[in-house]
Amino acid sequence: MCVPADVRTFPNPQLVAQAVAQELTFLFQKLGKTQDLVTVAFSGGSTPKLLFKELLTHSTSLPWEKTHVFLVDERWVPVEHEERNFRVLKELLLDHVPIPSRNVHPMPVAQPDPAVASADYELTLGQVFGIQQPDIPAFDLVLLGLGSDGHTASMFPGEPSQVPLTTDRWVVAPYVPKLASYRMTLTLRVLNNARNVWFLVTGPSKEEILPVVLGKEPFDISLYPSQAVDPPNPPVWWVDEEAATKLNKTN
Ligand code: 6PG
């Protein structure tokens, strides 16, 4: 029996961002009381921008000294490029909060060799989490977006982008034909080992894909990689009414 997904719907993107910021603050305050390390991985794209701004209003309540911030994925563009996910996260949030620089982990896409760069990021993960293969980093929270084509992170439909879905690696940097570019991304193995996975999905461009991914109808992770995100603690879907237009109550 398909367990109905935990979908939390709000009237607009701003209210989604406010609710997520509130819940993230509550979660990190709780974790900060019992853990020496709180780990989070943020996705890029446009949806998280409102969240980054909302988190600023909670800044004094967050355990920044213990919090390590990673990226879910990164575009293969120069450091200052406007498309750089880390640049957006840094300018909207990290530059304005008291997080130690040693706790901030951008993906090293300035490296010329994607294989070397992804291996470097795996070393960083291993150092912060204090583990090595075959163990898997267990993020306290991973925040994901949903592309209108069904991708999440940089796990895109079709070959050869399937590597992030099948590999035992923690980080890979596949060439993505539809983007004609490389991407660096956490792999499904890491996403599915997270203690909390939250999807943030807003706007009319997601109204068609959301029921397909949530309803898993049809279920095809090569076409809809987001369907493969299935951690032990099921994801929470934070959506606005526009993205949820075509959801029925059983989703
Ligand atoms: C990226 C993201 C990507 C994003 C989706 C949704 O680098 O683009 O990590 O996976 O989450 O494409 O993007 P929007 O939030 O802009 O719709």
Side-chain angles (χ1 to χ4, degrees), residues 43-48 72-75 85 144-147 151-154 183 206:
S43 281
S46 57
T47 305
V72 166
D73 66 338
E74 186 59 276
R75 291 91 180 275
N85 291 335
L144 297 176
L146 176 63
H151 83 264
T152 192
S154 284
R183 283 284 190 98
K206 309 297 170 72

Side-chain angles (χ1 to χ4, degrees), residues 139-209:
F139 278 94
D140 290 303
L141 176 61
V142 170
L143 285 132
L144 297 176
L146 176 63
S148 55
D149 62 353
H151 83 264
T152 192
S154 284
M155 303 190 303
F156 287 86
E159 293 298 334
S161 311
Q162 298 304 292
V163 168
L165 287 165
T166 57
T167 181
D168 287 342
R169 298 281 303 277
W170 301 341
V171 183
V172 289
Y175 181 77
V176 183
K178 77 176 287 188
L179 304 177
S181 169
Y182 283 91
R183 283 284 190 98
M184 185 177 291
T185 185
L186 297 181
T187 61
L188 183 66
R189 184 175 171 87
V190 173
L191 303 183
N192 280 347
N193 199 50
R195 298 189 179 105
N196 295 281
V197 174
W198 296 353
F199 278 92
L200 277 63
V201 186
T202 62
S205 68
K206 309 297 170 72
E207 71 171 17
E208 297 294 339
I209 192 62

Side-chain angles (χ1 to χ4, degrees), residues 45-172:
S46 57
T47 305
K49 292 177 181 174
L50 286 175
L51 171 62
F52 297 154
K53 292 174 185 171
E54 281 302 320
L55 284 174
L56 273 183
T57 68
H58 297 273
S59 174
T60 55
S61 309
L62 287 161
W64 293 113
E65 192 61 30
K66 295 180 171 183
T67 302
H68 280 253
V69 173
F70 292 83
L71 271 293
V72 166
D73 66 338
E74 186 59 276
R75 291 91 180 275
W76 215 267
V77 291
V79 177
E80 288 312 307
H81 195 288
E82 61 180 7
E83 287 281 296
R84 189 78 180 263
N85 291 335
F86 180 67
R87 177 181 168 180
V88 174
L89 171 60
K90 183 175 183 293
E91 288 181 353
L92 295 182
L93 180 60
L94 300 183
D95 282 349
H96 313 286
V97 297
I99 186 168
S101 57
R102 66 178 180 279
N103 291 17
V104 176
H105 309 288
M107 285 183 158
V109 294
Q111 286 246 14
D113 183 338
V116 170
S118 45
D120 282 352
Y121 208 59
E122 287 179 320
L123 279 177
T124 302
L125 283 166
Q127 286 160 357
V128 172
F129 283 88
I131 61 169
Q132 56 187 5
Q133 288 275 12
D135 293 338
I136 310 169
F139 278 94
D140 290 303
L141 176 61
V142 170
L143 285 132
L144 297 176
L146 176 63
S148 55
D149 62 353
H151 83 264
T152 192
S154 284
M155 303 190 303
F156 287 86
E159 293 298 334
S161 311
Q162 298 304 292
V163 168
L165 287 165
T166 57
T167 181
D168 287 342
R169 298 281 303 277
W170 301 341
V171 183
V172 289

